[in-house]
Amino acid sequence: MPKTEVLRAYRFALDPSGAERAALSRYAGACRWAYNYALARKTRAHQAWADRRSAYLEAGLSEAEAKERIRADGAELTDRIKVWDHHRKTLALTVADKPPLPAMQSPAGQEALVRRLAAARADAAGTSSERELLAEGRAMVNALKAQAFTAGFRTPTAIDTSALWRMDRDLPQQEGGSPWWREVNVYCFTSGFDRAQAAWKNWQDSLAGRRAGQRHGYPRFKKKGHTESFTLFHDVKRPIIRLESYRRLVMPGLGSIRIHDSGKRLARLVERGQAVIQSVTVTRGGHRWYASVLAKVQQDVPVLWEHVHDDGTRTSYLSRTQAEKAADNGGHVEQIGRPTARQRAGGLVGVGLGSHYLAALSSPLDPADPATALVQHPRLLADSLAKLSKAQRAMSRCQQGSGRWSKATAGVSRIHQQITVRRASFLHGLSKKLATGFTHVAIEDLDITALTTSAKGTRDKPGKNVKAQARFNRHLLDAGLGSLRKKLAYKTAWYGSQLVVLDQGEPVTATCAKCKERNPSSDPSCSTFHCPSCGAAVHRHENSTANIVDAAHRKLTTVASDRGETQNARRATASPGARKAPGKGH
């Protein structure tokens, strides 16, 4: 089998003592504080920019003219930041005995500043004053950036926020500082800044239409008591994050903490040099703390796709889509290896995700057991509703903020966490069976948000069957169909199979699998599909999965490749030299 390097996360349930739980909460609180600190900086800078834009719009300028005027207003300050930042980077490389940056092209109006800074570097070359000059350059860059943020000319990135925080962290807490920062690992703050940057980018991408899916709202501040999490990093050449034994995990600043399950699998990979630990993310779920150890693993995969460049160099990819995207600029794609014998025997499977069954398959998971073609809903939330309702009633009878309320809230959270863990375990098992048992896994592109939209309506136009729709939504969300698709996306790449996602709106439930005629009046709630054209009457799930398989075959043969003839819109061979049947075509 070909071997490649993949990032894999190994999740362990921690078994901390009381003092260790307090330390974990303190680390998570520092990460939350850093997130809110960075978000406050970004929000103030964005509000200053919005105020400038509003002033120009009120003056009669258009949206584009207002944005261009703001860029012109901040051009001089932006150029000064570039000059000072180049000065700082050059000094940092010189102090570290590395080759300096090439001389920068002076921005318009900044020639005198460029000459002055170059002369200062030349005078300090080889002396102890280089470090003093570097400290002065860093302070000047941060001061200019802070001025640009306050004026609304730019929004601070995670690196900018980290630099500003280092200037303020020793100030008293009343002045915005965090003098307690030495009590926790500094990476708690770094991970908080990175998460704020990711949230901000998600909002901007969603606002600009670059991000698919549900519309993201403006980033919100995190409140104490909600999801507690933080990430720690280390130098992989001098690792601190490691498994001390099969039952203890060592993390920087926290020491050795016992884990519930065994870490033998990861520990042996590290011992053999097949895995390198990159980071660890600690999260509290319900009453438990979990550590997700991210490692770079040398893994055997059945199928690997290589992009062969024009000069002969090769770059490996886990998925064919990534390799073909890289080949858009030149070169070609080659397949290394082939699916396993079990996958070749399974072939392509159509998976119909729905409400009655979690998954209806065109081929059974176990060839010896036809009953495995239908995967029942685990109904984890439904089976726990009575216990959950009792716990929520007990919580509602307590005074909010009291000791009993906190204990009752923890009980509710514990039940939800148990449901989440069991659901994830079930979906992990199902997704692995699909990825390892078939060469292609075809699913529909379901819009879960649209499917589970409330039918309540408005006061003027109330909805119909609101309670029934609410029960259906709860049942569908309990299945975790979106999570199953995400797991299939990366597991099919790991195990050498391919995930085929049909185009949204593919009429697989309203089309007859035999004659291919559509029946728009077909009732989805009926268990049998009746075709008015050919008179076929088959089980609805069998009809849907057959249509999914047929649509997946068409999707796979749409793009020309070196593996056989493609088809045109009439499902005929597209080769110009192919002989046409009598009476078909001219």
PDB file of all heavy atoms in Angstrom, residues 511-547:
ATOM      1  N   THR A 511     -38.706   9.847  -8.955  1.00  0.00           N
ATOM      2  CA  THR A 511     -38.407   9.276 -10.265  1.00  0.00           C
ATOM      3  C   THR A 511     -38.476   7.761 -10.176  1.00  0.00           C
ATOM      4  O   THR A 511     -37.994   7.165  -9.195  1.00  0.00           O
ATOM      5  CB  THR A 511     -37.008   9.710 -10.737  1.00  0.00           C
ATOM      6  OG1 THR A 511     -36.948  11.129 -10.770  1.00  0.00           O
ATOM      7  CG2 THR A 511     -36.706   9.160 -12.124  1.00  0.00           C
ATOM      8  N   CYS A 512     -39.041   7.145 -11.180  1.00  0.00           N
ATOM      9  CA  CYS A 512     -39.123   5.684 -11.229  1.00  0.00           C
ATOM     10  C   CYS A 512     -37.754   5.127 -11.616  1.00  0.00           C
ATOM     11  O   CYS A 512     -37.142   5.557 -12.601  1.00  0.00           O
ATOM     12  CB  CYS A 512     -40.169   5.238 -12.237  1.00  0.00           C
ATOM     13  SG  CYS A 512     -40.295   3.438 -12.408  1.00  0.00           S
ATOM     14  N   ALA A 513     -37.252   4.185 -10.848  1.00  0.00           N
ATOM     15  CA  ALA A 513     -35.936   3.620 -11.110  1.00  0.00           C
ATOM     16  C   ALA A 513     -35.919   2.723 -12.342  1.00  0.00           C
ATOM     17  O   ALA A 513     -34.852   2.456 -12.888  1.00  0.00           O
ATOM     18  CB  ALA A 513     -35.460   2.825  -9.895  1.00  0.00           C
ATOM     19  N   LYS A 514     -37.101   2.290 -12.806  1.00  0.00           N
ATOM     20  CA  LYS A 514     -37.154   1.382 -13.963  1.00  0.00           C
ATOM     21  C   LYS A 514     -37.295   2.138 -15.275  1.00  0.00           C
ATOM     22  O   LYS A 514     -36.502   1.967 -16.194  1.00  0.00           O
ATOM     23  CB  LYS A 514     -38.311   0.401 -13.782  1.00  0.00           C
ATOM     24  CG  LYS A 514     -38.094  -0.599 -12.652  1.00  0.00           C
ATOM     25  CD  LYS A 514     -39.209  -1.641 -12.605  1.00  0.00           C
ATOM     26  CE  LYS A 514     -38.930  -2.681 -11.501  1.00  0.00           C
ATOM     27  NZ  LYS A 514     -40.010  -3.699 -11.450  1.00  0.00           N
ATOM     28  N   CYS A 515     -38.300   2.991 -15.375  1.00  0.00           N
ATOM     29  CA  CYS A 515     -38.549   3.686 -16.643  1.00  0.00           C
ATOM     30  C   CYS A 515     -38.004   5.110 -16.655  1.00  0.00           C
ATOM     31  O   CYS A 515     -38.061   5.779 -17.688  1.00  0.00           O
ATOM     32  CB  CYS A 515     -40.040   3.700 -16.959  1.00  0.00           C
ATOM     33  SG  CYS A 515     -41.033   4.697 -15.820  1.00  0.00           S
ATOM     34  N   LYS A 516     -37.512   5.606 -15.526  1.00  0.00           N
ATOM     35  CA  LYS A 516     -36.909   6.937 -15.390  1.00  0.00           C
ATOM     36  C   LYS A 516     -37.902   8.080 -15.619  1.00  0.00           C
ATOM     37  O   LYS A 516     -37.494   9.205 -15.889  1.00  0.00           O
ATOM     38  CB  LYS A 516     -35.716   7.112 -16.353  1.00  0.00           C
ATOM     39  CG  LYS A 516     -34.667   6.026 -16.220  1.00  0.00           C
ATOM     40  CD  LYS A 516     -34.136   5.938 -14.806  1.00  0.00           C
ATOM     41  CE  LYS A 516     -33.120   4.817 -14.680  1.00  0.00           C
ATOM     42  NZ  LYS A 516     -32.689   4.619 -13.258  1.00  0.00           N
ATOM     43  N   GLU A 517     -39.188   7.806 -15.477  1.00  0.00           N
ATOM     44  CA  GLU A 517     -40.201   8.849 -15.585  1.00  0.00           C
ATOM     45  C   GLU A 517     -40.486   9.427 -14.205  1.00  0.00           C
ATOM     46  O   GLU A 517     -40.538   8.700 -13.208  1.00  0.00           O
ATOM     47  CB  GLU A 517     -41.489   8.297 -16.192  1.00  0.00           C
ATOM     48  CG  GLU A 517     -41.369   7.902 -17.649  1.00  0.00           C
ATOM     49  CD  GLU A 517     -41.124   9.094 -18.549  1.00  0.00           C
ATOM     50  OE1 GLU A 517     -41.596  10.205 -18.207  1.00  0.00           O
ATOM     51  OE2 GLU A 517     -40.460   8.927 -19.587  1.00  0.00           O
ATOM     52  N   ARG A 518     -40.691  10.737 -14.168  1.00  0.00           N
ATOM     53  CA  ARG A 518     -40.944  11.397 -12.896  1.00  0.00           C
ATOM     54  C   ARG A 518     -42.422  11.342 -12.534  1.00  0.00           C
ATOM     55  O   ARG A 518     -43.291  11.410 -13.397  1.00  0.00           O
ATOM     56  CB  ARG A 518     -40.470  12.849 -12.937  1.00  0.00           C
ATOM     57  CG  ARG A 518     -38.962  13.008 -13.062  1.00  0.00           C
ATOM     58  CD  ARG A 518     -38.551  14.445 -12.867  1.00  0.00           C
ATOM     59  NE  ARG A 518     -38.913  14.935 -11.532  1.00  0.00           N
ATOM     60  CZ  ARG A 518     -38.701  16.163 -11.100  1.00  0.00           C
ATOM     61  NH1 ARG A 518     -38.134  17.054 -11.910  1.00  0.00           N
ATOM     62  NH2 ARG A 518     -39.061  16.532  -9.888  1.00  0.00           N
ATOM     63  N   ASN A 519     -42.673  11.248 -11.238  1.00  0.00           N
ATOM     64  CA  ASN A 519     -44.025  11.260 -10.713  1.00  0.00           C
ATOM     65  C   ASN A 519     -44.094  12.329  -9.627  1.00  0.00           C
ATOM     66  O   ASN A 519     -43.949  12.036  -8.438  1.00  0.00           O
ATOM     67  CB  ASN A 519     -44.402   9.886 -10.144  1.00  0.00           C
ATOM     68  CG  ASN A 519     -45.830   9.854  -9.620  1.00  0.00           C
ATOM     69  OD1 ASN A 519     -46.636  10.739  -9.921  1.00  0.00           O
ATOM     70  ND2 ASN A 519     -46.148   8.831  -8.847  1.00  0.00           N
ATOM     71  N   PRO A 520     -44.297  13.603 -10.023  1.00  0.00           N
ATOM     72  CA  PRO A 520     -44.274  14.688  -9.037  1.00  0.00           C
ATOM     73  C   PRO A 520     -45.344  14.564  -7.970  1.00  0.00           C
ATOM     74  O   PRO A 520     -45.203  15.119  -6.873  1.00  0.00           O
ATOM     75  CB  PRO A 520     -44.498  15.950  -9.890  1.00  0.00           C
ATOM     76  CG  PRO A 520     -44.150  15.537 -11.285  1.00  0.00           C
ATOM     77  CD  PRO A 520     -44.526  14.090 -11.385  1.00  0.00           C
ATOM     78  N   SER A 521     -46.432  13.850  -8.247  1.00  0.00           N
ATOM     79  CA  SER A 521     -47.514  13.729  -7.277  1.00  0.00           C
ATOM     80  C   SER A 521     -47.282  12.608  -6.279  1.00  0.00           C
ATOM     81  O   SER A 521     -48.161  12.308  -5.471  1.00  0.00           O
ATOM     82  CB  SER A 521     -48.842  13.485  -8.016  1.00  0.00           C
ATOM     83  OG  SER A 521     -48.775  12.290  -8.776  1.00  0.00           O
ATOM     84  N   SER A 522     -46.121  11.964  -6.334  1.00  0.00           N
ATOM     85  CA  SER A 522     -45.838  10.866  -5.412  1.00  0.00           C
ATOM     86  C   SER A 522     -45.775  11.385  -3.984  1.00  0.00           C
ATOM     87  O   SER A 522     -45.150  12.408  -3.704  1.00  0.00           O
ATOM     88  CB  SER A 522     -44.511  10.199  -5.801  1.00  0.00           C
ATOM     89  OG  SER A 522     -44.181   9.213  -4.871  1.00  0.00           O
ATOM     90  N   ASP A 523     -46.426  10.665  -3.065  1.00  0.00           N
ATOM     91  CA  ASP A 523     -46.477  11.065  -1.661  1.00  0.00           C
ATOM     92  C   ASP A 523     -45.244  10.530  -0.937  1.00  0.00           C
ATOM     93  O   ASP A 523     -45.076   9.304  -0.832  1.00  0.00           O
ATOM     94  CB  ASP A 523     -47.741  10.512  -1.017  1.00  0.00           C
ATOM     95  CG  ASP A 523     -47.927  11.009   0.413  1.00  0.00           C
ATOM     96  OD1 ASP A 523     -47.123  11.866   0.851  1.00  0.00           O
ATOM     97  OD2 ASP A 523     -48.848  10.541   1.090  1.00  0.00           O
ATOM     98  N   PRO A 524     -44.353  11.397  -0.438  1.00  0.00           N
ATOM     99  CA  PRO A 524     -43.131  10.906   0.225  1.00  0.00           C
ATOM    100  C   PRO A 524     -43.414  10.105   1.481  1.00  0.00           C
ATOM    101  O   PRO A 524     -42.573   9.309   1.902  1.00  0.00           O
ATOM    102  CB  PRO A 524     -42.362  12.191   0.553  1.00  0.00           C
ATOM    103  CG  PRO A 524     -42.947  13.246  -0.336  1.00  0.00           C
ATOM    104  CD  PRO A 524     -44.368  12.861  -0.530  1.00  0.00           C
ATOM    105  N   SER A 525     -44.581  10.327   2.110  1.00  0.00           N
ATOM    106  CA  SER A 525     -44.886   9.598   3.337  1.00  0.00           C
ATOM    107  C   SER A 525     -45.337   8.170   3.079  1.00  0.00           C
ATOM    108  O   SER A 525     -45.385   7.356   4.001  1.00  0.00           O
ATOM    109  CB  SER A 525     -45.973  10.339   4.124  1.00  0.00           C
ATOM    110  OG  SER A 525     -47.171  10.412   3.369  1.00  0.00           O
ATOM    111  N   CYS A 526     -45.671   7.846   1.828  1.00  0.00           N
ATOM    112  CA  CYS A 526     -46.125   6.492   1.479  1.00  0.00           C
ATOM    113  C   CYS A 526     -44.901   5.582   1.364  1.00  0.00           C
ATOM    114  O   CYS A 526     -43.882   5.947   0.774  1.00  0.00           O
ATOM    115  CB  CYS A 526     -46.909   6.519   0.173  1.00  0.00           C
ATOM    116  SG  CYS A 526     -47.574   4.910  -0.298  1.00  0.00           S
ATOM    117  N   SER A 527     -45.001   4.376   1.909  1.00  0.00           N
ATOM    118  CA  SER A 527     -43.854   3.463   1.907  1.00  0.00           C
ATOM    119  C   SER A 527     -43.619   2.814   0.563  1.00  0.00           C
ATOM    120  O   SER A 527     -42.556   2.245   0.333  1.00  0.00           O
ATOM    121  CB  SER A 527     -44.061   2.373   2.970  1.00  0.00           C
ATOM    122  OG  SER A 527     -45.230   1.623   2.685  1.00  0.00           O
ATOM    123  N   THR A 528     -44.588   2.873  -0.341  1.00  0.00           N
ATOM    124  CA  THR A 528     -44.461   2.249  -1.659  1.00  0.00           C
ATOM    125  C   THR A 528     -44.513   3.315  -2.735  1.00  0.00           C
ATOM    126  O   THR A 528     -45.341   4.228  -2.687  1.00  0.00           O
ATOM    127  CB  THR A 528     -45.587   1.226  -1.893  1.00  0.00           C
ATOM    128  OG1 THR A 528     -45.582   0.269  -0.828  1.00  0.00           O
ATOM    129  CG2 THR A 528     -45.381   0.497  -3.214  1.00  0.00           C
ATOM    130  N   PHE A 529     -43.614   3.189  -3.698  1.00  0.00           N
ATOM    131  CA  PHE A 529     -43.589   4.107  -4.829  1.00  0.00           C
ATOM    132  C   PHE A 529     -44.345   3.476  -5.993  1.00  0.00           C
ATOM    133  O   PHE A 529     -44.031   2.360  -6.418  1.00  0.00           O
ATOM    134  CB  PHE A 529     -42.139   4.397  -5.247  1.00  0.00           C
ATOM    135  CG  PHE A 529     -42.031   5.297  -6.449  1.00  0.00           C
ATOM    136  CD1 PHE A 529     -42.071   6.679  -6.316  1.00  0.00           C
ATOM    137  CD2 PHE A 529     -41.907   4.759  -7.727  1.00  0.00           C
ATOM    138  CE1 PHE A 529     -41.980   7.500  -7.422  1.00  0.00           C
ATOM    139  CE2 PHE A 529     -41.812   5.581  -8.841  1.00  0.00           C
ATOM    140  CZ  PHE A 529     -41.849   6.958  -8.690  1.00  0.00           C
ATOM    141  N   HIS A 530     -45.334   4.204  -6.500  1.00  0.00           N
ATOM    142  CA  HIS A 530     -46.141   3.740  -7.632  1.00  0.00           C
ATOM    143  C   HIS A 530     -45.821   4.598  -8.846  1.00  0.00           C
ATOM    144  O   HIS A 530     -45.866   5.826  -8.776  1.00  0.00           O
ATOM    145  CB  HIS A 530     -47.642   3.840  -7.317  1.00  0.00           C
ATOM    146  CG  HIS A 530     -48.066   2.947  -6.184  1.00  0.00           C
ATOM    147  ND1 HIS A 530     -48.382   1.619  -6.361  1.00  0.00           N
ATOM    148  CD2 HIS A 530     -48.222   3.206  -4.860  1.00  0.00           C
ATOM    149  CE1 HIS A 530     -48.720   1.090  -5.193  1.00  0.00           C
ATOM    150  NE2 HIS A 530     -48.637   2.042  -4.259  1.00  0.00           N
ATOM    151  N   CYS A 531     -45.497   3.952  -9.952  1.00  0.00           N
ATOM    152  CA  CYS A 531     -45.183   4.660 -11.188  1.00  0.00           C
ATOM    153  C   CYS A 531     -46.397   4.602 -12.109  1.00  0.00           C
ATOM    154  O   CYS A 531     -46.828   3.502 -12.512  1.00  0.00           O
ATOM    155  CB  CYS A 531     -43.971   4.045 -11.869  1.00  0.00           C
ATOM    156  SG  CYS A 531     -43.543   4.854 -13.432  1.00  0.00           S
ATOM    157  N   PRO A 532     -46.978   5.743 -12.475  1.00  0.00           N
ATOM    158  CA  PRO A 532     -48.146   5.720 -13.366  1.00  0.00           C
ATOM    159  C   PRO A 532     -47.788   5.380 -14.810  1.00  0.00           C
ATOM    160  O   PRO A 532     -48.673   5.035 -15.594  1.00  0.00           O
ATOM    161  CB  PRO A 532     -48.691   7.149 -13.256  1.00  0.00           C
ATOM    162  CG  PRO A 532     -47.513   7.979 -12.888  1.00  0.00           C
ATOM    163  CD  PRO A 532     -46.629   7.110 -12.055  1.00  0.00           C
ATOM    164  N   SER A 533     -46.512   5.442 -15.173  1.00  0.00           N
ATOM    165  CA  SER A 533     -46.108   5.182 -16.561  1.00  0.00           C
ATOM    166  C   SER A 533     -45.934   3.701 -16.840  1.00  0.00           C
ATOM    167  O   SER A 533     -46.515   3.154 -17.785  1.00  0.00           O
ATOM    168  CB  SER A 533     -44.807   5.932 -16.880  1.00  0.00           C
ATOM    169  OG  SER A 533     -44.989   7.325 -16.727  1.00  0.00           O
ATOM    170  N   CYS A 534     -45.118   3.036 -16.012  1.00  0.00           N
ATOM    171  CA  CYS A 534     -44.857   1.614 -16.265  1.00  0.00           C
ATOM    172  C   CYS A 534     -45.588   0.706 -15.300  1.00  0.00           C
ATOM    173  O   CYS A 534     -45.527  -0.525 -15.435  1.00  0.00           O
ATOM    174  CB  CYS A 534     -43.357   1.336 -16.203  1.00  0.00           C
ATOM    175  SG  CYS A 534     -42.627   1.603 -14.568  1.00  0.00           S
ATOM    176  N   GLY A 535     -46.271   1.261 -14.299  1.00  0.00           N
ATOM    177  CA  GLY A 535     -47.047   0.467 -13.367  1.00  0.00           C
ATOM    178  C   GLY A 535     -46.221  -0.204 -12.290  1.00  0.00           C
ATOM    179  O   GLY A 535     -46.746  -1.058 -11.562  1.00  0.00           O
ATOM    180  N   ALA A 536     -44.952   0.146 -12.157  1.00  0.00           N
ATOM    181  CA  ALA A 536     -44.104  -0.487 -11.152  1.00  0.00           C
ATOM    182  C   ALA A 536     -44.524  -0.034  -9.757  1.00  0.00           C
ATOM    183  O   ALA A 536     -44.912   1.111  -9.547  1.00  0.00           O
ATOM    184  CB  ALA A 536     -42.645  -0.133 -11.404  1.00  0.00           C
ATOM    185  N   ALA A 537     -44.448  -0.955  -8.813  1.00  0.00           N
ATOM    186  CA  ALA A 537     -44.751  -0.667  -7.410  1.00  0.00           C
ATOM    187  C   ALA A 537     -43.652  -1.294  -6.563  1.00  0.00           C
ATOM    188  O   ALA A 537     -43.618  -2.522  -6.389  1.00  0.00           O
ATOM    189  CB  ALA A 537     -46.124  -1.203  -7.024  1.00  0.00           C
ATOM    190  N   VAL A 538     -42.742  -0.479  -6.087  1.00  0.00           N
ATOM    191  CA  VAL A 538     -41.610  -0.970  -5.306  1.00  0.00           C
ATOM    192  C   VAL A 538     -41.526  -0.184  -4.011  1.00  0.00           C
ATOM    193  O   VAL A 538     -42.147   0.869  -3.854  1.00  0.00           O
ATOM    194  CB  VAL A 538     -40.283  -0.822  -6.102  1.00  0.00           C
ATOM    195  CG1 VAL A 538     -40.283  -1.704  -7.328  1.00  0.00           C
ATOM    196  CG2 VAL A 538     -40.044   0.631  -6.483  1.00  0.00           C
ATOM    197  N   HIS A 539     -40.749  -0.721  -3.087  1.00  0.00           N
ATOM    198  CA  HIS A 539     -40.545  -0.016  -1.821  1.00  0.00           C
ATOM    199  C   HIS A 539     -39.841   1.307  -2.097  1.00  0.00           C
ATOM    200  O   HIS A 539     -38.924   1.378  -2.909  1.00  0.00           O
ATOM    201  CB  HIS A 539     -39.709  -0.882  -0.875  1.00  0.00           C
ATOM    202  CG  HIS A 539     -39.798  -0.451   0.554  1.00  0.00           C
ATOM    203  ND1 HIS A 539     -39.090   0.621   1.058  1.00  0.00           N
ATOM    204  CD2 HIS A 539     -40.539  -0.919   1.595  1.00  0.00           C
ATOM    205  CE1 HIS A 539     -39.374   0.786   2.327  1.00  0.00           C
ATOM    206  NE2 HIS A 539     -40.245  -0.150   2.690  1.00  0.00           N
ATOM    207  N   ARG A 540     -40.271   2.350  -1.424  1.00  0.00           N
ATOM    208  CA  ARG A 540     -39.747   3.684  -1.718  1.00  0.00           C
ATOM    209  C   ARG A 540     -38.233   3.755  -1.505  1.00  0.00           C
ATOM    210  O   ARG A 540     -37.528   4.408  -2.272  1.00  0.00           O
ATOM    211  CB  ARG A 540     -40.464   4.723  -0.851  1.00  0.00           C
ATOM    212  CG  ARG A 540     -39.985   6.149  -1.062  1.00  0.00           C
ATOM    213  CD  ARG A 540     -40.908   7.136  -0.411  1.00  0.00           C
ATOM    214  NE  ARG A 540     -42.238   7.078  -1.024  1.00  0.00           N
ATOM    215  CZ  ARG A 540     -42.573   7.702  -2.136  1.00  0.00           C
ATOM    216  NH1 ARG A 540     -41.674   8.427  -2.789  1.00  0.00           N
ATOM    217  NH2 ARG A 540     -43.797   7.595  -2.619  1.00  0.00           N
ATOM    218  N   HIS A 541     -37.723   3.115  -0.471  1.00  0.00           N
ATOM    219  CA  HIS A 541     -36.288   3.173  -0.209  1.00  0.00           C
ATOM    220  C   HIS A 541     -35.495   2.443  -1.289  1.00  0.00           C
ATOM    221  O   HIS A 541     -34.416   2.887  -1.675  1.00  0.00           O
ATOM    222  CB  HIS A 541     -35.984   2.593   1.171  1.00  0.00           C
ATOM    223  CG  HIS A 541     -36.622   3.359   2.288  1.00  0.00           C
ATOM    224  ND1 HIS A 541     -36.319   4.666   2.556  1.00  0.00           N
ATOM    225  CD2 HIS A 541     -37.567   2.999   3.191  1.00  0.00           C
ATOM    226  CE1 HIS A 541     -37.027   5.090   3.603  1.00  0.00           C
ATOM    227  NE2 HIS A 541     -37.800   4.098   3.998  1.00  0.00           N
ATOM    228  N   GLU A 542     -36.014   1.324  -1.783  1.00  0.00           N
ATOM    229  CA  GLU A 542     -35.323   0.627  -2.866  1.00  0.00           C
ATOM    230  C   GLU A 542     -35.313   1.477  -4.129  1.00  0.00           C
ATOM    231  O   GLU A 542     -34.302   1.528  -4.854  1.00  0.00           O
ATOM    232  CB  GLU A 542     -36.025  -0.709  -3.139  1.00  0.00           C
ATOM    233  CG  GLU A 542     -35.956  -1.699  -1.994  1.00  0.00           C
ATOM    234  CD  GLU A 542     -36.683  -2.985  -2.324  1.00  0.00           C
ATOM    235  OE1 GLU A 542     -37.133  -3.135  -3.493  1.00  0.00           O
ATOM    236  OE2 GLU A 542     -36.809  -3.836  -1.435  1.00  0.00           O
ATOM    237  N   ASN A 543     -36.405   2.158  -4.398  1.00  0.00           N
ATOM    238  CA  ASN A 543     -36.469   3.016  -5.580  1.00  0.00           C
ATOM    239  C   ASN A 543     -35.495   4.196  -5.449  1.00  0.00           C
ATOM    240  O   ASN A 543     -34.784   4.545  -6.407  1.00  0.00           O
ATOM    241  CB  ASN A 543     -37.900   3.523  -5.768  1.00  0.00           C
ATOM    242  CG  ASN A 543     -38.052   4.368  -7.011  1.00  0.00           C
ATOM    243  OD1 ASN A 543     -38.102   3.870  -8.126  1.00  0.00           O
ATOM    244  ND2 ASN A 543     -38.146   5.676  -6.833  1.00  0.00           N
ATOM    245  N   SER A 544     -35.437   4.806  -4.261  1.00  0.00           N
ATOM    246  CA  SER A 544     -34.562   5.969  -4.060  1.00  0.00           C
ATOM    247  C   SER A 544     -33.090   5.583  -4.163  1.00  0.00           C
ATOM    248  O   SER A 544     -32.298   6.279  -4.814  1.00  0.00           O
ATOM    249  CB  SER A 544     -34.839   6.599  -2.697  1.00  0.00           C
ATOM    250  OG  SER A 544     -36.168   7.084  -2.623  1.00  0.00           O
ATOM    251  N   THR A 545     -32.701   4.488  -3.522  1.00  0.00           N
ATOM    252  CA  THR A 545     -31.299   4.087  -3.568  1.00  0.00           C
ATOM    253  C   THR A 545     -30.869   3.698  -4.978  1.00  0.00           C
ATOM    254  O   THR A 545     -29.731   3.964  -5.385  1.00  0.00           O
ATOM    255  CB  THR A 545     -31.040   2.930  -2.597  1.00  0.00           C
ATOM    256  OG1 THR A 545     -31.968   1.860  -2.869  1.00  0.00           O
ATOM    257  CG2 THR A 545     -31.207   3.392  -1.158  1.00  0.00           C
ATOM    258  N   ALA A 546     -31.793   3.076  -5.747  1.00  0.00           N
ATOM    259  CA  ALA A 546     -31.466   2.745  -7.137  1.00  0.00           C
ATOM    260  C   ALA A 546     -31.251   4.016  -7.957  1.00  0.00           C
ATOM    261  O   ALA A 546     -30.343   4.082  -8.806  1.00  0.00           O
ATOM    262  CB  ALA A 546     -32.572   1.884  -7.744  1.00  0.00           C
ATOM    263  N   ASN A 547     -32.063   5.034  -7.710  1.00  0.00           N
ATOM    264  CA  ASN A 547     -31.887   6.310  -8.412  1.00  0.00           C
ATOM    265  C   ASN A 547     -30.597   7.008  -7.986  1.00  0.00           C
ATOM    266  O   ASN A 547     -29.931   7.670  -8.799  1.00  0.00           O
ATOM    267  CB  ASN A 547     -33.082   7.225  -8.139  1.00  0.00           C
ATOM    268  CG  ASN A 547     -34.306   6.815  -8.917  1.00  0.00           C
ATOM    269  OD1 ASN A 547     -34.213   6.300 -10.032  1.00  0.00           O
ATOM    270  ND2 ASN A 547     -35.485   7.025  -8.339  1.00  0.00           N
TER     271      ASN A 547
END
